[in-house]
Amino acid sequence: MQKKQITIIIGAIGLLLLLLVVGCAQKQEAGGFGDAPAKVYVAPGSYDEFYAFMSGGFSGQVSVYGLPSGRLFRVIPVFSQDPEKGYGYSEETKPLMMTSHGFIPWDDAHHPQLSVTDGQTDGRWLFINGNNTPRIARIDLTTFETVETIEIPNSGGNHGSPYLTPNTEYVVASTRFSVPIPQKDVPISSYKENFKGTISYIKVDSATGRMNLAFQILVPGINYDLSRAGKGPSHGWSFFSSYNSEQANTQLEVNASQNDKDFIAAVNWKLAEELVAQGKGQAWPANYFHNYMDAADVGKSETMNSVTILNAKEHPGLVYYIPTPKSPHGCDVDPSGEYIVAGGKLAALIPVHSFSKFKTAIENKEFDGEFDGIPIVKYESVLAGEVKEPGLGPLHTEFDGQGFGYTSMFLSSEIVKWKLGTWEVVDRIPTYYSIGHLMIPGGDTKQPYGKYVVALNKITKDRYLPTGPELTQSAQLIDITGDKMKLLLDFPTIGEPHYAQACPTTLIKDKSKRWYPIEENHNPFAIKAEGEARVERDGKTVHVYMSTIRTHFAPDNIEGIKVGDKVYFHVTNLEQDWDVPHGFSVFGANNSELLVMPGQTRTILWEPKQAGVIPFYCTDFCSALHQEMQGWIRVSS
């Protein structure tokens, strides 16, 4: 073969290889790969950039993930009992689940919300709503433990919750399902005459975080959904999406979708504060529970019996309705506080309302009638613009701080990026599948952190290995640092993730409590040293004051217990370093184990049913001699 022919062949092979490489690279890029693995890789021993807190939906819990890795770090028990941690089973934590309906060990958790100072995430607390039995919980982010729950009276379906005002002055909640207020026995068909809604403002103590239901606003009986507080020029206002302006009471999928427009409810909470201070509110009877962990780290329940009510139609200027395309879900405020964005599930556009135009319209009385005594501001008078042809089923919008909004499109399974001011769509990316909420770190604050958008998807279909008919839900991490969005990662999530929030790890990591002094344990059943361990009988009740430390219990041999006794194990962990919890489990217990944090005391009730020698042991690995950490209880007839 001639040299020239060899050269041509080698050149052809080289060209073919080049085309293959380029083709593979293009295929990878088209499929969302390329440099994606490097962008989500967090090396062993390194930390993620963001904490992401995701609602657990019907699990009733909150899950904590790292971004960009998508690694699950922890499930924080909130409204549902958790045997892994003994939450809701230990005597100390049971009170957090008390309601006016009794002990309720489950709820449907939807919208985590990080505390804010001057409109920016401060890393102190996380709030989450219970939708089924209306409640709000507060989680202490120094320990990642639920420390408070408060029940919301006069409410049916606490979905529009727990949204915060810019300095965490209030946690705000609204009725999803309007009901008779106060409750009474009336025909369901009398909806229009008898059903009402409430918007609740729960005051938050700036130092301790302790919640207190300050007042409720009685509003017309429609469905109130999602909310954001105003900021900047709109500070002092809250905005709520609402639907079912038809006030239908049956087959809502048809009958609540008749009107061309529903409403954004604009609430002047600063005015509400003034009215309450002036004594304009009415004290109504109400029965609800306020539960909290006290200074001794023991749950307490207080029964509350009244609430201050402001009737919206009796106080001009308190509430206005802004028409917005039908069946809105999202209601979001941009970082400047000027624009209010609604997401009409059945709309073919995204309306953007202007707060300055809203104020002018009120001053000029540009109203289009009223709805049950609440003025309706003219749509054209308050409209800043409309995002045209964004896709199908706009739901929820967050912002990157660079002048762009990102909206989840449920029906067309995509995220659409559009420009504030011009309202033009500049990019879109598919999601897999049926995206509900989305989340940008700080995307609801004055200065979003940007960098990523996370899609929270309802359906996964063929994305993961099948696990039966209840397939995992998923989140997808998408890079938004460039002009074009780029899929980096998808990862399974617990429960059904409705919404999430994220913040830089530096806001929380360095504040984590790392030393738990035993002298600060004020539990009335605590012991401070192993020498204080003992067993005490009071009739048919026995109290075991037990210590635990690597790698034994004291006492570890217990006699004198009888069938039919009520035995309370008060287990104190004498360790004080943050990474040495201990477990406690006893054969025959019909509740759960205990998981006892350093310096903490937790109590479990055990009722022996038969005579014998019963073992107990540590369930949480603590040292090389963990297996030896056990004991026995002698039970006599």
Side-chain angles (χ1 to χ4, degrees):
M1 186 178 291
Q2 295 184 1
K3 186 175 180 181
K4 183 176 181 180
Q5 290 176 312
I6 294 173
T7 302
I8 292 172
I9 291 170
I10 292 174
I13 293 171
L15 179 60
L16 179 60
L17 290 173
L18 178 62
L19 289 172
L20 285 171
V21 170
V22 171
C24 288
Q26 288 175 338
K27 184 177 180 181
Q28 279 190 320
E29 201 65 37
F33 300 103
D35 60 349
K39 288 189 173 183
V40 301
Y41 179 69
V42 178
S46 299
Y47 294 123
D48 278 280
E49 185 178 359
F50 293 97
Y51 280 110
F53 299 92
M54 297 190 182
S55 67
F58 43 68
S59 77
Q61 317 293 38
V62 169
S63 53
V64 186
Y65 293 83
L67 297 181
S69 72
R71 297 179 295 191
L72 175 63
F73 295 145
R74 181 175 175 82
V75 175
I76 305 173
V78 183
F79 297 114
S80 297
Q81 289 177 306
D82 185 350
E84 178 192 349
K85 303 172 184 69
Y87 178 85
Y89 293 100
S90 70
E91 297 301 305
E92 286 81 5
T93 57
K94 281 182 181 178
L96 292 177
M97 295 184 173
M98 286 303 300
T99 76
S100 59
H101 307 280
F103 179 78
I104 306 292
W106 172 84
D107 219 309
D108 184 19
H110 278 223
H111 306 124
Q113 197 74 24
L114 288 159
S115 58
V116 287
T117 300
D118 191 26
Q120 290 300 118
T121 305
D122 58 31
R124 292 181 296 166
W125 308 304
L126 181 77
F127 300 86
I128 182 78
N129 64 320
N131 187 26
N132 184 64
T133 305
R135 287 176 282 181
I136 291 172
R138 179 172 61 90
I139 296 165
D140 182 347
L141 291 179
T142 65
T143 60
F144 284 63
E145 292 184 336
T146 301
V147 294
E148 185 176 15
T149 59
I150 188 168
E151 189 179 3
I152 310 297
N154 301 317
S155 178
N158 179 43
H159 191 253
S161 163
Y163 297 100
L164 300 174
T165 54
N167 285 291
T168 317
E169 301 98 332
Y170 293 99
V171 180
V172 186
S174 62
T175 302
R176 178 181 177 187
F177 312 121
S178 290
V179 293
I181 299 177
Q183 273 285 12
K184 54 187 175 181
D185 179 9
V186 298
I188 298 172
S189 59
S190 68
Y191 187 111
K192 291 184 179 181
E193 294 76 31
N194 288 309
F195 287 42
K196 298 293 181 184
T198 55
I199 294 174
S200 304
Y201 284 80
I202 297 95
K203 189 71 175 175
V204 180
D205 184 278
S206 60
T208 65
R210 185 68 58 83
M211 296 184 286
N212 172 56
L213 178 53
F215 57 88
Q216 292 184 310
I217 301 173
L218 191 68
V219 288
I222 54 181
N223 292 47
Y224 296 86
D225 204 1
L226 302 183
S227 175
R228 292 291 187 206
K231 55 179 83 80
S234 55
H235 178 69
W237 290 79
S238 295
F239 304 95
F240 300 81
S241 61
S242 63
Y243 61 100
N244 193 20
S245 56
E246 298 85 353
Q247 295 188 303
N249 63 276
T250 184
Q251 293 185 326
L252 264 62
E253 76 275 16
V254 174
N255 295 321
S257 302
Q258 299 299 308
N259 294 339
D260 182 56
K261 289 183 174 62
D262 285 299
F263 302 123
I264 295 293
V267 179
N268 187 337
W269 63 263
K270 280 290 188 183
L271 174 59
E273 268 191 335
E274 294 171 10
L275 292 169
V276 171
Q278 294 166 9
K280 299 294 178 66
Q282 298 176 325
W284 284 23
N287 181 27
Y288 64 100
F289 271 67
H290 180 208
N291 312 311
Y292 56 89
M293 302 300 288
D294 68 6
D297 194 32
V298 175
K300 300 295 182 185
S301 293
E302 294 180 356
T303 304
M304 316 303 288
N305 53 30
S306 70
V307 63
T308 299
I309 296 284
L310 293 169
N311 192 333
K313 63 183 180 182
E314 294 177 0
H315 300 286
L318 183 57
V319 179
Y320 295 93
Y321 282 140
I322 301 170
T324 202
K326 64 170 61 181
S327 299
H329 185 61
C331 181
D332 300 285
V333 178
D334 87 304
S336 74
E338 168 63 15
Y339 298 120
I340 304 112
V341 182
K345 298 193 296 289
L346 303 181
L349 51 80
I350 302 170
V352 183
H353 305 295
S354 161
F355 182 75
S356 56
K357 286 188 173 185
F358 168 70
K359 286 184 64 179
T360 300
I362 292 172
E363 292 168 3
N364 296 336
K365 300 188 184 303
E366 297 175 31
F367 300 134
D368 194 9
E370 62 178 38
F371 183 90
D372 196 11
I374 306 299
I376 302 172
V377 183
K378 287 184 176 179
Y379 180 75
E380 295 77 12
S381 298
V382 74
L383 188 68
E386 295 174 333
V387 181
K388 304 286 189 180
E389 299 181 356
L392 299 176
L395 286 186
H396 171 223
T397 299
E398 296 221 334
F399 306 91
D400 63 3
Q402 305 299 315
F404 296 98
Y406 297 74
T407 302
S408 55
M409 312 300 292
F410 177 77
L411 294 178
S412 51
S413 290
E414 60 183 331
I415 293 174
V416 172
K417 176 182 178 181
W418 51 273
K419 187 171 179 58
L420 286 158
T422 66
W423 324 122
E424 61 183 319
V425 173
V426 297
D427 192 24
R428 60 180 73 236
I429 190 170
T431 58
Y432 306 99
Y433 303 95
S434 299
I435 181 175
H437 282 271
L438 50 70
M439 178 271 288
I440 292 174
D444 65 328
T445 67
K446 289 170 66 174
Q447 295 179 322
Y449 303 106
K451 195 163 186 178
Y452 305 112
V453 63
V454 177
L456 300 165
N457 303 323
K458 303 296 187 185
I459 298 170
T460 52
K461 291 183 180 176
D462 53 1
R463 299 296 288 181
Y464 302 102
L465 290 170
T467 54
E470 181 61 31
L471 299 176
T472 183
Q473 281 82 30
S474 75
Q476 293 186 294
L477 183 73
I478 296 166
D479 185 348
I480 59 172
T481 56
D483 292 335
K484 296 293 183 181
M485 292 180 281
K486 182 179 179 182
L487 177 63
L488 299 179
L489 177 73
D490 56 17
F491 53 95
T493 58
I494 71 162
E496 181 191 348
H498 289 266
Y499 181 50
Q501 290 221 306
C503 69
T505 55
T506 52
L507 290 177
I508 296 174
K509 178 176 68 70
D510 297 336
K511 299 176 186 176
S512 289
K513 188 173 181 180
R514 293 174 182 253
W515 187 253
Y516 295 78
I518 193 68
E519 61 269 18
E520 293 181 5
N521 182 339
H522 302 298
N523 187 301
F525 297 103
I527 57 177
K528 304 301 174 66
E530 189 173 307
E532 299 175 18
R534 63 195 185 275
V535 179
E536 293 181 351
R537 175 176 288 278
D538 181 10
K540 297 285 289 182
T541 300
V542 178
H543 294 274
V544 179
Y545 296 81
M546 178 178 285
S547 67
T548 176
I549 196 168
R550 287 168 290 185
T551 42
H552 64 272
F553 295 100
D556 61 359
N557 283 195
I558 300 170
E559 299 201 16
I561 305 301
K562 298 180 180 180
V563 173
D565 282 345
K566 289 183 179 293
V567 183
Y568 289 92
F569 290 96
H570 310 290
V571 184
T572 298
N573 184 353
L574 297 179
E575 312 273 4
Q576 299 174 80
D577 200 2
W578 74 322
D579 63 345
V580 194
H582 288 292
F584 173 82
S585 175
V586 58
F587 178 79
N590 59 4
N591 38 33
S592 79
E593 63 153 1
L594 286 177
L595 190 61
V596 191
M597 296 297 108
Q600 187 180 67
T601 298
R602 284 290 178 261
T603 301
I604 201 79
L605 172 62
W606 179 61
E607 299 181 69
K609 299 294 192 296
Q610 62 188 42
V613 178
I614 308 300
F616 61 88
Y617 68 101
C618 177
T619 52
D620 194 331
F621 183 85
C622 55
S623 69
L625 297 177
H626 169 72
Q627 287 291 94
E628 284 73 19
M629 193 168 175
Q630 65 177 70
W632 287 271
I633 308 163
R634 179 183 175 187
V635 180
S636 305
S637 299

